[in-house]
Structures are given as C-alpha cells and as structure tokens.
C-alpha cells in the first residue's frame, strides 16, 4: 500500500494541469469560477476541447476513443479538472448512452453514434423516468409498438435533464406488455426532431429550468434504432445505473468546493470579531464534512483499485452515490450557513453571464440557497439513496 | 398549569384557517409572489377588517391586547398557508418595537395607520459585518442640534420597500459590538438620504438593502432612551422568533400531512411507498420532531406571556429545535416526494424553502445553541 | 394556556418536598445520591414510606388507593421525587399488574392482590418476553393446559427484571394453540413458590444481575388465578404496554440527572485550563440534550392534559417512550464523555453500599460506563423503539 | 498509488486470523478476562515465537522493521477476536516510545526482553487534570545530582501492573501545559517510591493508577533530550491511534457480520427481522460507516508510513470517524440483537464496550475534531 504518486504520475498531472491552464478555453473556466450558468455552446466547446486533446472519454475502451488511463490517472485527471474549474462532462451522451452502445449496440450503431458523442457533435438526453415511475423503472408505461420497420412510441418521460438542448434521446420503452414487467422493456434511440415529440420545461424549486417533460405522441422510430435485443432494455439500464453511480461520488468537485468555502469563510465576519473560518461552530461543521470527504476519497480509490483487479464496479459503488450526494448536499448547506441573512435575497439574474447587477451582500451568497435547493435532487435521481440502500442490503449484506 | 386554548383563541384560529382555505390556493399564491408588491392589498385590507392588524397592540393604542400565544396561533396558520402578506415584518417586528419603545406621539403618528392597514413598517437592525449579533452596529447617529444625522447600511430589511416607516438601530455612543450605545429611531422611509434597494427573497417575500447617507431626523425620532435600544431589540426579536417558529410549526404540519398523503398514493414496486418501513419510520421522525417543536413553541410562548426569567432561554431552545426540525422535515418531505418535491409547481419545495430561510433569520442553530448555554441558570427549578 | 402553578399547587409541592426531606427514609435517598445499588429491603421500605403517606399509587383509581391527583399534581410529585433522590417505584406490581387487576380482574382478585401491592407486601415480576418472542409477544410459546381446576404451565420467560426477589409473577401464556396467535393468549398470576419454577440470573453487559430467565416445568396454577377471560390476555397486555410507555418518558429523572451532570462537569478539568462545564464542545452536547428534554417535558405535559380531557393515553405516548429513552441514553453517554480516561476502570465494588474501596479517579466515574451500557436496554424493552415507530406509523399517521 | 497488500502482509493477516480462530472462542476469552493477569502467558509466548513482538522494531534492535500498515493488519485481526494480550500497551505504546526516544543502552536493556516475550512495558503519560492534553503534565522530575527525582500521579496506565518498565512523562522545566519541558523517563517498575494500584477495565483489560513519590532515577533513565518529550509522545500516540482504530475496524467488521447473521435467523412477527426495511437500512449504514472508517484507517496508515506532513491530521480525522462509527455500530448492533445484545454471555456487548473505550482513549471525538481543524493546511493539495 502506498499513496504517493510515481514520477510518471506526477508528470501526467503536470501535463493535465498545463493543458487546463493554457489550452482549454479560459472563458469557460472563468464562468464556472464565478458561478454563472453555462450556455449550450459553452458545454459543447468544453467537450470539444477535451476531445481535441484525446481526453474526452477516459472511461471508454481505447478502441472507441478512451484514454486507457489507470485508476490513479483518472483520479488525477478528475482532481485537476475540478481544481481548474473545468465543468463536469455532460454525462448523457458520454457516460450514459455511449457505454450502452459500445457494450450492446451493433457495429453500425457504434460507427454511427460514438464518434459524434466523443466529439460532442450531437447532444443526447435521457428518457428513463416517467411521471408514474421514479426509481422503479420496471413499472414504466411508455409503449413502443412494432409497425413494419418502425416502432410507434407513445408515452411521457420526465426529469429529462437539459432535454431542451438535445438532438437525440435514449429511452426505455415497453415493447411487450405480456411478460414480466422487467422483461418487456427495450432500449431505443430516438431523434428528437421526429414528429410527435414535445418538450416542456419543468421549473425546479431553485427557480431554474434544467429538467423537462418529453411527450411522445405516435412517434415513429426505425427498428434499427433498437439497441441490442428487444426485451433486454432493463438489463442494459441496470449496467448503466452502475456507471452513473461511480461517477456520482464527485469527490474531486467536493474537495474543490470545500476549498472555495474555506476561502470565502476566511473573509466573512462571524459577528463576534472573528471570521467564520475562525468560528468554532462553523469550523466543526466544516470539519465534519471534510472528514467524511477524506474518507470517501479513499473509499472511491479503493473501489477503483478493486475494479482494476476484479472487473466491473460492484454494488459497493452504491456507497459512493449515497455518501457522495450527502456530502455535496452538506457542502451547499454550509454555503447557506456562511451567508447568514444574505441567504435570503433571490437574485436569479446573478446566474446570467454578463449581468451587471451589483451583488446584494457578499458575492457568493446569491448562489448559496439556490444551489442548496437544487442539489436536493442528487439523493433522488440516479436511483434514490433509499434504493441504493436496498441494493446494498440485498447484494452486499445478503438480506 | 393549563394547556387549553381559550374560546377566543379557537375562534381566531378558525378565522385564519378560513382565510387561508378561501384565499390561498397554491397556484394563486405563487402568482401573487410574482407580482411587483409580492402580496395582496385586498388581503391586507381584510386583515385590518378582521382586527388581525390590531391584535398585539394595547387597547390604549387602539389594539386588542393580544398575547404572544394569540400571535402564535395566527402565525401557525399563516405558516400552513405560506401566506405572503407582511404581517410578520409590519405587526410583529415593527409593531413589537413600537409597543416597547415608541413615545405616545410616535404611537399616535404610526399605529392607527398600521391597525387600519394603510401603514407598513420595517425593522432595520441587521448589518453585514454583524451577522446575528444585534450589538454589532456600525450605523451611526450623530447628535446634531436637537436632532440626529444617521449614516450606515442595513441588511436584508424585511418589507423594506413597502414600509412607510423604518425603525433603524444606530449607534449614538460606544464602539461597534458594545451592548450600550445602540439607539432606535423611527424614520419616515421617504426621508432624504435613505436609499432602498428592494429584491425578492428565496421564499417569495420582499426585502431591501437600506443605505442611510446623512439622514437628518429630529430628536422626536428617537425611540425610548438613547443608548438603551439593545434590550428592546432583544425582546422584539425573541417575540419574533416565537412568531416565526409558529409559522415553521405550521409549515411542518402541512408538510407532514402532504408527505403522508403522497406516500399513500404513490406506488413504486407495486406498493404504496408509505408501506416501506424505512419511509414509515422517517415520517414518524418528522412527526416527532414537529411535536417536539410545538412543545417548545408553547413553552416559549407561555414563558414569555408570564414574563418568566427563563423566557429568552426558552426562545433560544425553540430556535435551535425549529432549525433542526425544519431542516429535517423540509429535506425529507422533498426526498419522499421524489422528483415531484423538486418542482416549483408543487407547494412542498416552497415550504422547504421557507423553513430554510427561517433557520437563517435571527440566528441559526449554532448561534442559539451558544446563547442557550450562556443563559443557563435562568431556568427556574420547577 | 398558562404554565404557572396555582397557590394550591405550590402548597402541594411544598408538602411533597417536606415529606421527602423530613419523613421519608434519608438513608435510601443517600444511597441513590451516591449511586450505590439498593437492596430489596430498601426498595420495599421506600414503597412502604410512600404508602404510609397515601402516595404509593398516584395513577390508580381512588377507590383502590389512588391519589386522585390532577396531571399537574402528578407532574409536581414526580419532579419532587427525582429532586429528592427518591428511587422510582418498582413498576411490576404497582404500574403493571395492578392496572390489569383493577381493570379486568374479579372482585376476589382485587381484594386479594391490590392491598398487598399498594403496601408493598408482595413483590411482583413480569413474565412476558420469551427467548423466541421479544417485542413480538403474539408469538409466545409458554403453554397453559387446563387440567381440572388448574392450568399446567410449561415454558420459559426471560428478561424478567428483579425476578430474583419476586414472590409472584404475572404471565402471558398460550391457552389455545388452535386460534389466531393473538387470540389464544391468557393472563395468569403465578405464585413463585409453586413447584416447578426455576429462576436463573442473566448477567448483563454492565456486569450486573438485574434480569432473569424463569423456567416453568409442569407448574400447576389454580384456575382462579386467571385474570379476566381466557384468550383475552393479549388485549390486556396491550393496555398495559400503554401504561408502561407513559411512565417511561422519565422526564423528572432526566432533569435531575442533567442537574447532577452540570454540577460534576463544573468540577472536572477539560485539559485546557477550564472545566468541562466551560468547554464549548461539552456544553453544546449537553445543551442539545437539555433542549430535547425541555421539549419532551412539554410533550409529556401536553399528553397528560390530553388524557385528562380525552381519556386513555393514545398512541402518541409512543413518542414519550422513544424520546424519553433516547434522552436517558444520551445523558449516560455524557457522563462517560465527562469521565475521559476514567471511563475505563471497572470497579463494580463501588456499587456496593458500605464498600470502602477508594474511588479510582473522580467519584462519579465508576458509575458512568456501566450505566451507559445498562440503559441501552431502555430502547429495547417495553416494546422496542422500532415497534413504537411502527405503532405511530400505523395508529397516528395511518400508514 | 497502490492499494494492494504485499504477500508478506497477507501471510501476517492469515497467521493472526488462525491464532484468533484457534485460541479465542468467546467463552474462553471471557474466562481469561476473569483471571488475575487478564491474559494468557502461553499466548504471549506464542506471539514471541511468531515474531509478532518483534514486528515494529528495527533490525538493529532485533526487530523486523515492520510498518504502520503491518501493525494495522495485526490489530484489525486482534479486534475481531477481542484478544486480551497486552500487545497494544507493550509493543505499540511502550515499543513506540522506545523506538523513537530510547538510547542504545536503553534499547539493549529492554527490547530483547520485549521481543522474547519476557518483558512488559507501559506508557504512563495521562494525568487526571490533563484530560486528553498531553502537555498538561503536573508530574515533576527534579534534577538531583546526575539523576532525577520524580513526583506525581499517572492515570489509567494500560498494562501498568504487568509492566516491568514504565515510560513516564514528567516535567523537567516549564509550567503545566507548556509544550516545552516535558521529558520521558524509562523506569524499572520496581523502583522504590512507585506505587501501582491495578484494576480491570470495562473492556476486560488491565490498567493501573501509578503514583510516584520521590522516585530516584539515574541520568540514564532520561529518554532522548530533556524537555523534548512532547513531540515523541505525540508521534507515539498518533501511531497508537492508528493501531486502535484498526482494532475498532476489526470489532465493527465482526459486529456487522454478527448482526446481519442474527437478523437472518431471528424471527419476529413471522418474518426474519433482517427483512424489515428499517433494520436493513440501518445495517447498510453500519456497513457504510465501517467502510468509511477503513478508508481513513488506510489513509492515515499510509500517510504515516510515507512520512507525509498531513499524517497527524489524517490521524485526527480517523479518530473522529472511529469514535462516531464505533458508537453507531456498537449501539445498533446491541439494539438489533435486542435482549440478547444486553447479555454478558454474548460477544456483541463486549465489542460494544471495547468500541466505547476506544473512543475514550487518546482524545474523544470533540478533541480530535478540534485538532483536525487546528492542523488545517497540512493536507497537501493533490
């Protein structure tokens, strides 16, 4: 056991750091640093910048464009990304549909879709959840009925993140209502320009518009857009959920956020002649989160190491989802605490780039409460934290 | 000892409940929050008509001599309805300062309008550098002839834009942080040198940053004795904490009911989620935390109405518990509602936001935990 | 609403206080204060002292010897008892079997048993739990088979607190194995001197001997010892569990313990030049418990007030059990925290009255860890706290 | 970065596991705890034979040059077995001080016996008034000719009765609480003026109160430089914390396994209790807390073996997490076992007691939370 980086790994870190500092678009980093919202164009440019360096898809197999990095190199890369305020990769194409396509898709599908995902030419979104089916995907109702060389899709998907930008959607649809609920589900790729698709925004409690409802009204989808076998969609999706979980720990981002919080807390008065950073109560709360995060960082590294020796991420990755989201939520809560009264002002224009509205109170405070409200979602989506506990109970503890 | 409400109190509760039922369907409430003013002046007129705006004031001032418990009842029901009218800043905060420190002339000038519903108040006491410390006042009021000149900045003044009168804490003596030397001033909000930058708050309310630049007031503007304003502020804010804690209890009660109801109808894995034991136990914990908050609410309100020496300590205990319970109940209500809990269109997230803001007002959990410990010894042995 | 005591209530308080200070055996109070164990004789004398004043059974109906006090008077009495270090009433006769007897027993049973309970002439113990049935009493297996004018009882009861002193035991036994589990249970009173009864002590983790296993081997019990109707034992027991729950909040005792803890903490150094009472971290932990307790005190009073206007204690009393035991446990934990290294020495002789072994470290510390270990039982017995949550979920929330 | 154990380490783990399996059935362990000595000298001889007593010492001293990770592996397995032999006080605490501060002559006098299993050590560093503060030393060592005279009282000295040598912290200069002026002395425990009052500990171990009354030692008894003992103590105790945290991880692992197993067989309401979701989730939380503790354990051990500047901060993080997780896992294991968890005859309560005592040793959660915050800035940016 050894936690030191080798000389080679240190060189790798330096080259990553150099790339982010000198080659990657600095205006995007600046926006992230200031907390303002990124446009679709920003997110696409970010991805293309990574792709141009060959670093777009660290988790893909090398043959499709992956980097072939070791867990330690991935760890270094994630840390450097967070450190440089490079936004996280939009996951729907890169981390969600792509692994399904390269694992279960046909040769034609791989050739058609993967390069555009890698180079961020096509924006994907996810069509899993439905108004009646949250974490319980087996109960979904969107139907795809075979009609010649097409499926006719009818139904409603919801909580589709950034669906407003999407050109394609990957969906779980019910192709066979007569078999066991899990067995009648298939995995379809659908062009969002197809007739009969309507996207309606859903406003979230923080005031933002990030998620959508997507309605399918007699939408005709070519049979060639089916991934893998009909009726196997549930099996594919489960694999995808495991992928989603490993990414979701978000250790590097949380470390970076804690660093920011410390910097901010060092300049905020505590009302007792000291700064919040010198305030024992605030420090204790911060230390509690930091200790959890230091632990999770190693839980993550241990899981990565186990993957390298033992194969696919196991049910233990549910820990990463649960603890990772709890920590993200706790950090946003500390930003609210640090804001004091200035948690109250609601100034959504501060999220717009180029807004020249003067901040009310300290600069960071406008973002504190909305972020806190927004990240409550993280313990709900991707299989709620309760579902994750069910998974661990069953698969790890054998209960 | 007596835990029963009087008949008048039951009637008051009924009447607020009726108002909320008839005037606050949630979609209407959300539209109201988007308007310029952020509340309904028709509702406000109704408040006046029903005598609610007169409730805590003394009969001499045209009021109804209501108790802390009366206000508590009202605020609890307001909390259930997520009402937007600025009863709290005008009547509880502003009115609380007026009741305690205003001269007869000041009362005459202001209170009739408050009671009739034509006058709004705001208490401008917080400052950025002071966080929750009421004594950390950097705003100055320099004596000038027989008047004063005020300079400074006041933070997050609730109802600051609508207010006709501002009650401003400013230092007439002493250093920033001193207990002595803080004075209160009653100032017409249109006075020259006052700048108000209004904004919405996260919970649908309205507040303002208030800047005072060479604001010249007459000696009559001083409320109570010069330099003795801190004790007044503390008493006003203790009473205000009971009021918003009551609002929080109302919000938690509504959230618990909504969550239990939702859990009975929402089916996952072929079963209503309310049948899952882990969620059942969590809803039981939400219920228990709400009951415990209600107990401290009653305790603090009664203690205050009886003028007991442990009142301030009970208030700090209440604020701690309200913060903890509000966070837990709010977060779990959203969690159990799943994606629906995250939507703007459902009321659940809005209760959660209001509970979060209540924790941020008047001192958070840590602040009141320390105050509670510091006030040890004031609790009478039973 | 009003929290002040009336003049009459204040007079009552003074008379109670006077009784405890001047009439009640001071040696018993002294033992409680010092933390040493009480003998059977101490516990009996304590109860007889209360009986001599007519205060043995505040919760009984007046006709059987109750006091007829209002909730406020009971509240005052409990506070004064705790304040004066008067030990709590041993509940098995007074609060457990007696309510069953006066509610469901025959005239003969009332006359035969109640006066001896009231005057503490007979020591009772409880025979509910079994090795296979903890909180799930419906699954109990001890059988009582009718044989002429007797039942023949066979089976094993466990966790029988202070059973080593008992002259009588009240038991739930299965009289009909053919009906639904809850319906075949009856409530029997059994003389512990009957042939075939064996009591075996069970050592608990704190090192003490408080609970026992009671074995019944062909024990012959007269049919007249059946309380109420055959097959109704489960119904009676449920009522009893409600009684047990209301007492279990233990608010007055917990208040008194917090007072003691504060006194002790004021004399224990924190290693930083101050006392534990001046130590911010310790104070915060203490304040957290104190606030919970202040709340529970009013939750208890509200429940009492509701009982007075509305009848029997409802399922809400489960809150009192859950929060009451959590607080008791938290207080013992704080005593351990205050002990620092001196939580470690195990000196059970300190529990013996008259032991002249010099304390290791501060006087209170010998009791800290054993008490902490011992009170873990409180969230297990009397219907575990999980069971209480099930009850609230079902009966209060309607889930 | 590398998370794999070496082959030697895997062999070490196997060998300790075999020892525990063969020598520590729980009833035998409980009988051993009741004996005068409280541990088995046969076992101790076996430890010597297996080379375990030589593990952390340097080759020069006859040791095996073992790392912190090696000791961690051993202690984790000891934790699973609730072993009673005083490996921790003699080898980790006493040995740790010897390795860091003893002169060649002192090593020669003491270490061969330790490694052969004939010599026991104890570290006498705590004092009643000092609580967890290692610098709060009231025991004095007054220079006297070319020797010293020691006076004072040492608290809860683990293995204090069996120890042949005591390593005592005493003040040669400075005021109580000063960082400078603390010195360490290696003293034959039979030296005149030393009084040891031995007792059992709550977790089945042995400790003693040690009183030093005019204890005269030669100048050779001084370990390392006079007045520079605090840094040594801190390093020894940081390493000791990793060792008992490993023991705690072992105990938690065993408790989790026992609890999951029990929940599968214990039937209530017609169902194994392990099927109740609330208990399932709680067992998942016990599992997660144990995993998180293990992660910090590895982190602290690796950091220490690499001599990283953040080692002490990682150790404090580990102690906080060990305290929290140990309490939660211990309490819940007892709770889920119901009445059985309360019995002396079952091992569950004994793990719980050991975890409780581990929290009380070397600084509790609060103490290390503060130390963690104070050491901020020592963590290298990755």
């Amino acid at each position: 056991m050894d936690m030191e980086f080798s000389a080679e790994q240190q060189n790798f870190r330096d080259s990553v750091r150099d790339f982010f500092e000198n080659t990657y678009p600095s205006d995007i980093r600046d926006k992230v640093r200031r907390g303002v919202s990124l446009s679709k164009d920003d997110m696409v440019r970010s991805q293309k910048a990574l792709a141009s360096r060959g670093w777009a898809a660290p988790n893909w197999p090398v043959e499709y464009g992956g980097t072939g990095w070791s867990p330690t190199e991935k760890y270094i890369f994630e840390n450097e990304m967070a450190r440089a305020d490079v936004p996280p990769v939009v996951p729907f194409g890169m981390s969600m549909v792509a692994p399904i396509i390269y694992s279960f898709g046909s040769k034609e599908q791989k050739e058609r879709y993967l390069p555009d995902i890698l180079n961020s030419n096509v924006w994907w979104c996810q069509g899993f959840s439905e108004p009646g089916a949250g974490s319980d995907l087996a109960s979904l109702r969107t139907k795809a009925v075979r009609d010649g060389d097409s499926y006719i899709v009818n139904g409603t998907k919801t909580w589709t993140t950034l669906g407003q930008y999407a050109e394609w959607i990957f969906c779980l649809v019910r192709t066979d209502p007569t078999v066991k609920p899990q067995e009648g589900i298939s995995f379809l790729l659908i062009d969002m320009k197809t007739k009969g698709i309507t996207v309606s925004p859903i406003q979230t409690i923080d005031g933002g518009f990030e998620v959508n409802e997507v309605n399918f009204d007699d939408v005709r989808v070519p049979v060639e857009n089916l991934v893998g076998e009909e009726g196997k969609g549930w099996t594919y999706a489960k694999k995808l959920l495991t992928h989603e979980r490993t990414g979701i720990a978000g250790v590097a981002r949380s470390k970076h956020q804690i660093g920011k919080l410390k910097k901010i807390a060092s300049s905020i008065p505590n009302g007792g002649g000291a700064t919040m950073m010198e305030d024992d109560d605030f420090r204790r709360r911060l230390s509690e989160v930091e200790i959890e995060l230091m632990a999770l960082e190693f839980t993550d590294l241990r899981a990565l190491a186990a993957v390298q020796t033992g194969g696919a991420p196991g049910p233990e990755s549910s820990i990463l989802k649960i603890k990772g989201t709890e920590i993200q939520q706790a950090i946003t809560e500390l930003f609210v605490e640090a804001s004091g009264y200035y948690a109250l002002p609601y100034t959504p224009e501060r999220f717009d780039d180029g807004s020249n509205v003067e901040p009310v109170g300290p600069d960071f405070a406008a973002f504190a409460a909305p972020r806190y409200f927004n990240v409550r979602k993280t313990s709900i989506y991707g299989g709620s934290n309760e579902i994750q506990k069910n998974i661990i109970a069953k698969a790890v503890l054998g209960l | 000892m007596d835990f029963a409400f009087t008949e008048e109190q039951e009637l008051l509760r009924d009447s607020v409940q009726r108002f909320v039922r008839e005037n606050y369907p949630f979609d209407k409430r959300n539209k109201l929050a988007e308007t310029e003013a952020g509340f309904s002046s028709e509702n406000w007129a109704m408040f006046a008509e029903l005598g609610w705006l007169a409730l805590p004031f003394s009969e001499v001032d045209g009021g109804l001599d209501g108790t802390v418990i009366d206000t508590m009842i009202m605020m609890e029901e307001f909390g259930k309805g997520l009402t937007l009218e600025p009863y709290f800043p005008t009547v509880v905060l502003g009115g609380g300062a007026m009741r305690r420190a205003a001269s007869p002339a000041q009362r005459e000038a202001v209170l009739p309008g408050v009671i009739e519903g034509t006058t709004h108040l705001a208490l401008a006491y917080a400052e950025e550098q002071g966080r929750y410390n009421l004594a950390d006042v950097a705003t100055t009021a320099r004596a000038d002839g027989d008047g004063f000149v005020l300079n400074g900045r006041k933070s997050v003044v609730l109802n600051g834009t609508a207010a006709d009168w501002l009650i401003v804490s400013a230092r007439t003596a002493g250093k920033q942080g001193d207990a002595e030397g803080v004075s209160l001033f009653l100032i017409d909000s249109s006075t020259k040198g006052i700048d108000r930058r209004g904004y919405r708050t996260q919970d649908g309310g309205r507040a303002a940053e208030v800047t005072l630049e060479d604001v010249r007031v007459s000696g009559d503007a001083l409320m109570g004795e010069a330099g003795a304003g801190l004790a007044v502020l503390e008493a006003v804010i203790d009473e205000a904490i009971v009021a918003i804690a009551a609002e929080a209890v109302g919000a938690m009660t509504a959230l618990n009911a909504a969550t239990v109801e939702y859990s009975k109808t929402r089916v996952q894995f072929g079963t209503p989620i309310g049948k899952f034991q882990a969620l059942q136990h969590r809803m039981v914990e939400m219920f228990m935390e709400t009951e415990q908050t209600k107990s401290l609410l009653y305790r603090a309100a009664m203690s205050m109405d009886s003028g007991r020496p442990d009142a301030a300590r009970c208030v700090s205990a209440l604020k701690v518990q309200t913060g903890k319970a509000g966070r837990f109940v709010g977060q779990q209500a959203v969690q159990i509602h799943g994606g629906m809990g995250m939507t703007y269109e459902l009321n659940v997230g809005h209760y959660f936001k209001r509970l979060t803001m209540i924790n941020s007002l008047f001192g958070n959990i840590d602040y009141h935990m320390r105050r509670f410990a510091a006030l040890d010894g004031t609790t009478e042995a039973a």
Side-chain angles (χ1 to χ4, degrees), chain A, chain B:
Chain A
M1 287 181 128
D2 183 8
M3 66 191 288
E4 302 302 318
F5 292 141
S6 65
E8 205 183 333
Q9 287 162 343
Q10 286 178 37
N11 287 339
F12 174 72
R13 184 188 59 192
D14 294 344
S15 72
V16 173
R17 194 170 288 184
D18 175 72
F19 169 74
F20 286 136
E21 275 170 18
N22 299 313
T23 309
Y24 180 92
S26 62
D27 63 311
I28 300 176
R29 294 174 56 203
D30 187 54
K31 280 189 177 183
V32 172
R33 191 174 306 116
R34 286 183 292 128
V36 301
S37 304
L38 298 182
S39 66
K40 177 179 179 179
D41 177 61
D42 293 330
M43 292 187 257
V44 170
R45 278 194 301 132
S46 177
Q47 199 54 33
K48 284 186 179 292
L50 297 177
S52 71
R53 187 69 169 83
W55 291 346
N59 290 312
W60 290 20
V62 176
E63 54 179 313
Y64 303 117
T67 55
W69 287 336
S70 69
T72 307
E73 283 162 329
K74 288 181 194 171
Y75 167 79
I76 290 170
F77 185 72
E78 275 168 29
N79 269 295
E80 292 303 318
M81 251 183 118
R83 186 178 176 279
D85 288 305
V86 172
V89 171
V90 178
F92 310 104
M94 198 61 66
S95 319
M96 300 181 79
V97 73
I100 300 295
I101 292 173
Y102 63 64
S103 303
F104 307 108
S106 65
K107 186 158 171 297
E108 292 70 31
Q109 287 170 333
K110 293 179 194 174
E111 282 168 6
R112 175 168 175 195
Y113 297 111
L114 293 180
D116 279 344
I117 294 173
L118 192 66
N119 295 298
S120 208
N121 297 328
V122 172
W123 190 289
W124 285 82
C125 69
Q126 184 191 36
F128 277 14
S129 293
E130 296 184 4
S135 289
D136 172 22
L137 292 179
S139 74
L140 54 84
R141 284 190 217 149
T142 297
K143 275 185 308 189
V145 179
R146 183 72 180 262
D147 178 43
D149 281 351
S150 304
Y151 291 103
I152 310 295
V153 178
N154 277 288
T156 306
K157 294 292 178 180
T158 193
W159 318 130
T160 303
T161 304
L162 300 178
Q164 68 265 44
Y165 300 147
E167 286 130 345
W168 279 74
I169 184 168
F170 55 95
C171 287
L172 288 178
V173 293
R174 189 165 297 287
T175 42
D176 187 348
T178 63
V179 293
K180 269 182 37 182
Q182 286 91 337
E183 290 172 8
I185 294 171
S186 301
F187 198 101
L188 268 194
L189 311 177
I190 306 178
D191 187 333
M192 292 284 278
K193 289 187 304 292
T194 319
K195 194 170 152 246
I197 298 182
T198 330
V199 178
S200 321
I202 299 172
Q203 192 174 17
T204 45
I205 52 175
D206 53 305
F209 290 93
E210 202 182 37
V211 288
N212 301 270
E213 192 165 280
V214 182
N215 205 277
F216 298 84
D217 183 14
D218 283 336
V219 174
R220 186 166 287 270
V221 180
V223 168
E224 67 200 49
N225 289 13
L226 174 75
V227 177
E229 288 176 53
E230 204 177 83
K232 287 278 175 68
W234 173 248
T235 316
Y236 306 156
K238 271 200 301 190
K239 186 185 152 85
L240 194 157
L241 285 173
T242 317
H243 273 272
E244 199 179 356
R245 275 201 293 282
T246 40
I248 222 158
V251 168
R253 306 263 153 203
S254 289
K255 276 164 67 178
H256 189 56
Q257 286 302 310
I258 282 190
K260 282 190 174 178
L261 178 59
K262 285 184 178 177
K263 213 167 282 170
I264 285 167
S266 302
S267 71
I268 301 284
N270 78 338
T275 68
M276 290 301 287
M277 197 59 182
E278 296 155 339
D279 185 271
D280 284 339
D281 291 318
F282 187 77
R283 274 318 288 277
R284 177 173 37 79
R285 293 195 188 276
L286 204 156
S287 294
E288 281 172 359
V289 180
E290 207 180 348
I291 289 171
E292 284 279 357
L293 183 58
M294 283 171 70
L296 188 67
E297 183 169 20
F298 265 55
T299 303
D300 200 5
L301 288 168
R302 286 167 57 210
L304 282 173
V307 168
Q308 207 177 24
T309 55
E316 288 84 356
S317 65
S318 292
I319 298 185
L320 304 175
K321 159 84 203 288
I322 297 169
K323 285 281 177 187
T325 55
E326 284 176 359
I327 289 167
Q328 288 160 38
Q329 292 175 337
I331 293 171
T332 60
E333 204 168 330
L334 288 174
F335 276 99
V336 174
E337 295 281 340
S339 304
Y341 278 104
Y342 282 104
L344 272 89
Y346 175 64
T347 50
E349 62 279 6
R350 295 288 314 286
F351 283 92
D352 299 336
D353 185 36
S355 154
N356 49 14
V357 177
E358 210 203 325
V360 176
D363 207 30
F364 75 97
F367 306 98
R371 289 250 171 80
Y372 168 62
F373 299 142
N374 183 274
V375 301
R376 298 311 308 172
K377 73 187 177 193
T378 60
S379 51
I380 294 168
Y381 69 24
S384 73
N385 285 13
E386 288 81 8
I387 298 290
Q388 306 300 334
K389 287 185 185 173
N390 289 349
I391 292 172
I392 299 176
K394 194 169 170 187
V396 182
L397 305 184
L399 291 169
Chain B
M1 272 202 172
D2 176 14
F3 281 84
F5 293 108
T6 63
E7 207 174 316
E8 289 77 18
Q9 287 169 337
E10 297 290 3
L11 287 174
L12 175 64
R13 187 184 295 278
D14 288 348
S15 106
V16 187
Q17 278 176 350
R18 195 174 327 114
F19 164 77
V20 167
R21 199 168 50 241
E22 289 169 7
N23 297 276
Y24 263 84
F26 185 67
D27 52 344
K28 195 171 152 194
R29 183 263 182 200
N30 260 7
K31 273 182 209 127
L32 195 53
E34 308 275 344
T35 61
E36 173 82 22
F39 70 93
S40 147
S41 44
E42 289 79 33
N43 285 343
W44 195 253
M46 205 187 303
F47 283 20
E49 210 172 298
L50 290 163
W52 296 351
L53 303 178
L55 189 66
F57 298 106
S58 75
E59 258 189 84
V60 184
D61 294 327
L64 299 171
D65 269 332
T67 62
V68 173
I69 291 174
D70 294 332
T71 300
M72 173 190 95
I73 290 167
M74 197 130 124
M75 291 296 293
E76 190 180 333
E77 299 305 325
F78 283 157
K80 290 180 192 163
L82 280 172
T83 59
L84 294 162
E85 282 67 31
Y87 189 87
F88 178 70
T90 290
V91 178
V92 179
L93 281 176
M98 291 298 298
R99 285 191 284 120
R100 282 178 175 79
S103 68
Q106 287 171 327
R107 284 161 205 259
E108 239 167 84
V110 172
L111 292 186
V114 169
I115 289 171
E116 283 163 27
T118 53
T119 300
H120 273 285
L121 306 180
L123 184 65
Y125 62 95
E127 299 186 5
E128 186 171 341
Q129 83 292 338
R131 201 170 155 85
Y132 296 125
N133 180 356
L134 298 173
D136 191 334
V137 175
T139 300
T140 55
R142 179 171 44 81
D144 179 62
D146 63 350
F148 297 88
V149 177
L150 284 85
N151 278 286
R153 297 175 57 102
K154 292 291 172 178
S155 299
V156 194
V157 179
L158 301 177
N159 204 32
T161 319
D164 303 290
W165 294 89
L166 298 173
I167 295 157
V168 178
S169 66
R171 209 159 258 299
T172 45
K175 295 185 316 295
Q176 204 181 316
D178 283 358
E180 300 294 312
V182 176
S183 303
L184 296 178
F185 294 90
L186 177 67
I187 309 177
D188 185 322
S189 62
S190 62
T191 307
K192 190 169 160 245
I194 293 179
D195 178 69
R196 294 181 282 174
R197 177 178 172 196
Y199 46 78
R200 294 175 61 179
T201 55
Q202 300 287 346
D203 45 14
R206 296 294 182 274
E209 299 297 285
V210 176
T211 313
L212 300 105
E213 203 181 330
D214 289 331
V215 175
R216 197 168 298 270
V217 298
S218 75
D220 300 342
L222 182 66
M223 295 176 78
E225 242 178 284
L230 187 63
V232 176
L233 267 186
E234 281 174 349
V236 171
I237 281 174
D238 276 352
E239 203 176 286
I241 287 172
V242 175
I244 52 162
E247 197 191 331
V249 165
M252 289 190 270
T253 305
L255 271 182
N256 288 344
T259 306
V260 166
E261 200 42 46
Y262 182 79
S263 80
K264 289 178 185 171
T265 56
R266 169 74 171 174
V267 175
Q268 289 274 275
F269 308 102
T271 313
I273 61 172
K275 289 288 172 201
F276 293 119
Q277 196 192 29
L279 296 192
Q280 287 187 344
H281 283 199
R282 211 177 301 154
M283 286 185 272
V284 168
E285 282 150 20
M286 292 161 74
F287 168 72
M288 292 198 300
E289 287 312 310
T290 307
E291 288 300 308
Q292 289 280 83
T293 312
K294 194 184 270 187
S295 289
L296 283 174
L297 174 64
Y298 289 1
R299 184 167 196 152
M302 286 195 230
S303 185
M304 206 163 252
D305 273 337
S306 306
R308 290 167 67 101
D310 69 349
R313 193 163 194 257
C314 288
V315 167
S316 279
L318 170 62
K319 190 64 167 61
V320 168
Q321 171 65 21
T322 304
K324 285 186 180 175
R327 179 170 59 195
F328 178 71
V329 171
Q331 290 180 351
Q332 295 309 323
V334 170
Q335 181 73 20
I336 293 173
H337 276 85
M340 283 308 296
M342 288 299 297
T343 62
Y344 202 87
E345 97 186 49
L346 196 71
N347 56 8
V348 166
H350 295 265
Y351 285 115
F352 166 52
K353 292 201 284 184
R354 178 62 188 146
L355 289 168
T356 305
M357 293 305 125
I358 285 174
N359 186 36
S360 295
L361 287 169
F362 309 121
N364 61 357
I365 294 169
D366 291 336
Y367 177 87
H368 282 283
M369 195 69 94
R370 281 186 176 255
R371 185 170 180 248
F372 176 83
L375 290 170
D376 201 357
T378 61
T379 311
E380 280 179 87

